[in-house]
């Protein structure tokens, strides 16, 4: 069968199935599973006979959405809160993983630009962080504690203030994605330039290692969470710019719903980062190096595993669980 005829023959069925998925318009799980089987068959047929066709991408995306719906209808999925972090978010991260990769690429580029600018312009750091903050940091370095700024304020006061600020930055990074993702990119640019120039400043003052031991105790989760929230903003922007087969408003609603779930998933990590910054980072220079480095590696490992590795684990596991349904 020619590709045009294949698409014409199945187009209405696919669109009907897609509409039913978005509106959750299924009489029972068996109906959803039955239509999912037909979709998988069409996808296999397209992959065999039209390997370079764009219809394969469309059917893959539709199958991924249907897959999530099927899993949600399983009776054993009774604890909604646990299922949200254990299954739903990882599946979302797997489906939209390219936006996470893009966010990290943008983060790396902008941070490198900040470091490069600081290396080539002696006044760049002051223009970004301000004279007062730079002068205070220099005094701290001369006093033997480059990250003494984290000792200012009370434990609880720092924890609450820092956490609220980080939540605000993350939410803004997501919400500004409504401007086609440009607002999100701006927030990343602003924060990454600051991070890159700040870290180079410590390198220039020969206290880079000391700064890493302090900043990244909380920074591993804090910065990582902001990048994930930026990915949510890019998803929101893409839903407006590239609605696909949906109306732009329907696509926007779906993008906003997905983005909100991703942002909410980062809250525990942001809270824990705030706790570390308020209660632990202030003692980074006094504690043994093995402890500070250990905290950094453990926190970075945990959040990296959850957002970058665990989604593949969940997807593989659920693929195996789905076999009895489509058999």
């Amino acid at each position: 069968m020619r590709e045009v005829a294949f698409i014409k023959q199945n187009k209405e069925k696919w669109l009907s199935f897609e509409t039913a998925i978005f509106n959750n318009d299924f009489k029972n799980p068996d109906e959803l599973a039955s239509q999912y089987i037909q979709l998988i068959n069409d996808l296999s047929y397209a992959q065999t006979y039209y390997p370079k066709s764009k219809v394969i991408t469309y059917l893959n995306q539709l199958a991924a959405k249907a897959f999530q719906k099927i899993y949600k209808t399983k009776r054993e999925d009774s604890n909604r809160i646990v299922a949200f972090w254990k299954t739903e978010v990882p599946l979302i991260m797997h489906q939209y993983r390219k936006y996470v990769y893009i966010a990290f690429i943008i983060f790396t580029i902008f941070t490198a630009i900040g470091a490069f600018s600081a290396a080539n312009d002696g006044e760049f750091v002051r223009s970004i962080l301000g004279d007062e903050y730079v002068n205070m940091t220099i005094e701290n370095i001369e006093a033997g504690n480059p990250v003494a700024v984290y000792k200012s304020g009370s434990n609880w006061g720092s924890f609450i203030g820092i956490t609220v600020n980080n939540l605000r930055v993350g939410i803004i990074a997501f919400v500004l994605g409504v401007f086609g993702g440009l607002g999100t990119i701006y927030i990343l640019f602003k924060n990454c330039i600051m991070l890159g120039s700040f870290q180079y400043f410590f390198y220039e003052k020969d206290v880079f290692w000391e700064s890493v031991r302090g900043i990244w105790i909380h920074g591993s989760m804090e910065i990582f969470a902001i990048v994930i929230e930026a990915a949510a903003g890019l998803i929101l922007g893409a839903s407006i710019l590239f609605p696909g087969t949906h109306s732009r408003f329907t696509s926007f609603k779906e993008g906003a719903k997905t983005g909100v779930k991703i942002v909410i998933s980062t809250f525990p990590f942001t809270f824990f980062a705030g706790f570390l910054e308020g209660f632990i980072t202030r003692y980074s220079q006094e504690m043994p190096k093995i402890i500070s480095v250990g905290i950094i590696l453990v926190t970075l490992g945990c959040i990296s595993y959850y957002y970058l590795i665990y989604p593949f684990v969940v997807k593989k596991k659920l693929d195996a669980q789905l076999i009895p349904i489509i058999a």
Side-chain angles (χ1 to χ4, degrees), residues 129-138 149-150 198 201-202:
L129 300 175
D131 288 333
E132 182 178 351
Y133 191 85
V134 172
N135 291 337
M136 177 187 65
T137 303
I138 291 176
V149 64
Y150 296 111
F198 192 47
F201 175 74
F202 285 116

Side-chain angles (χ1 to χ4, degrees), residues 225-291:
I226 290 176
V227 175
I228 295 299
E229 290 153 353
L234 296 179
I235 291 171
L236 179 62
S239 71
I240 298 172
L241 296 177
F242 312 108
T245 58
H246 308 293
S247 68
R248 201 171 298 277
F249 182 65
T250 299
S251 178
F252 166 71
K253 287 195 299 182
E254 184 67 16
K257 182 179 178 181
T258 298
V260 167
K261 290 180 179 179
I262 293 174
V263 171
I264 291 175
S265 77
T266 66
F267 287 177
F269 297 103
T270 300
F271 275 104
F272 190 63
F275 170 81
L276 289 174
E277 188 167 353
F279 289 88
I280 306 299
T281 298
R282 63 180 61 227
Y283 305 114
S284 62
Q285 301 304 302
E286 289 83 3
M287 68 176 63
K289 292 181 181 179
I290 190 172
I291 295 180

Side-chain angles (χ1 to χ4, degrees), residues 47-272:
Q47 289 173 329
T48 302
Y49 295 100
Y50 322 115
K52 297 182 179 180
S53 174
K54 291 182 179 179
V55 74
I56 293 177
T57 301
Y58 168 74
L59 293 177
N60 262 318
Q61 294 174 346
L62 186 55
K65 292 183 177 71
F67 181 84
Q68 291 187 37
K69 290 289 183 181
I70 290 174
Y71 183 79
K72 287 179 183 179
T73 61
K74 294 180 66 178
R75 293 181 180 178
E76 57 266 31
D77 188 12
S78 57
N79 193 322
R80 185 69 182 85
I81 296 178
V82 172
F84 175 75
W85 270 279
K86 183 179 179 181
T87 304
E88 187 172 356
V89 171
L91 285 177
I92 290 174
M93 298 311 300
H94 183 274
Q95 181 179 349
Y96 293 94
R97 58 190 181 279
K98 70 176 182 180
Y99 292 96
V100 176
Y101 302 154
I102 291 172
F104 271 106
I105 290 172
I106 294 173
F107 165 80
T108 302
I109 292 174
F110 285 165
T111 302
I113 290 175
F116 181 80
S117 299
N120 288 274
D121 183 352
E123 296 300 314
F124 184 77
V125 175
R126 291 183 177 276
S127 67
I128 297 296
L129 300 175
D131 288 333
E132 182 178 351
Y133 191 85
V134 172
N135 291 337
M136 177 187 65
T137 303
I138 291 176
E139 291 177 3
N140 291 336
I141 293 173
E142 292 174 346
N145 192 345
V147 291
V149 64
Y150 296 111
K151 288 190 173 184
S152 60
S154 66
N155 298 91
W156 280 103
S158 298
F159 165 52
I160 294 172
I162 290 163
T163 300
V164 170
N165 179 69
N166 290 339
L167 290 173
R168 180 184 64 83
V169 172
I171 291 172
I172 290 176
F174 165 61
V175 172
L176 291 186
V178 74
F179 298 107
L182 293 178
T184 296
I185 293 175
Y186 169 73
I187 295 298
L188 267 182
F189 176 79
K190 182 179 178 181
N191 285 275
C192 290
I193 291 295
M194 185 183 302
L195 174 64
S197 60
F198 192 47
Q199 283 287 214
Y200 184 83
F201 175 74
F202 285 116
Y203 171 78
E204 190 176 46
K205 298 297 182 180
D206 295 322
V207 289
F208 178 75
W209 175 241
E210 288 81 357
S211 73
V212 168
R213 286 179 54 210
I215 296 171
W216 291 97
I217 281 179
H218 62 271
S220 294
M221 282 190 172
E222 177 184 303
I223 301 301
F224 202 113
I226 290 176
V227 175
I228 295 299
E229 290 153 353
L234 296 179
I235 291 171
L236 179 62
S239 71
I240 298 172
L241 296 177
F242 312 108
T245 58
H246 308 293
S247 68
R248 201 171 298 277
F249 182 65
T250 299
S251 178
F252 166 71
K253 287 195 299 182
E254 184 67 16
K257 182 179 178 181
T258 298
V260 167
K261 290 180 179 179
I262 293 174
V263 171
I264 291 175
S265 77
T266 66
F267 287 177
F269 297 103
T270 300
F271 275 104
F272 190 63

Side-chain angles (χ1 to χ4, degrees), residues 13-42 61-75 77 322 324-327:
K13 177 180 66 176
W14 297 338
L15 292 177
S16 176
F17 186 46
E18 185 175 19
T19 300
I21 289 176
F22 273 94
N23 296 327
N24 201 25
D25 186 21
F26 290 97
K27 296 179 181 178
N28 54 64
D30 291 336
E31 179 187 357
L32 174 58
S34 176
Q35 294 193 35
Y36 179 79
I37 294 171
Q38 296 179 40
L39 180 67
I40 293 299
N41 289 338
D42 291 339
Q61 294 174 346
L62 186 55
K65 292 183 177 71
F67 181 84
Q68 291 187 37
K69 290 289 183 181
I70 290 174
Y71 183 79
K72 287 179 183 179
T73 61
K74 294 180 66 178
R75 293 181 180 178
D77 188 12
L322 193 61
I325 298 177
I326 64 177

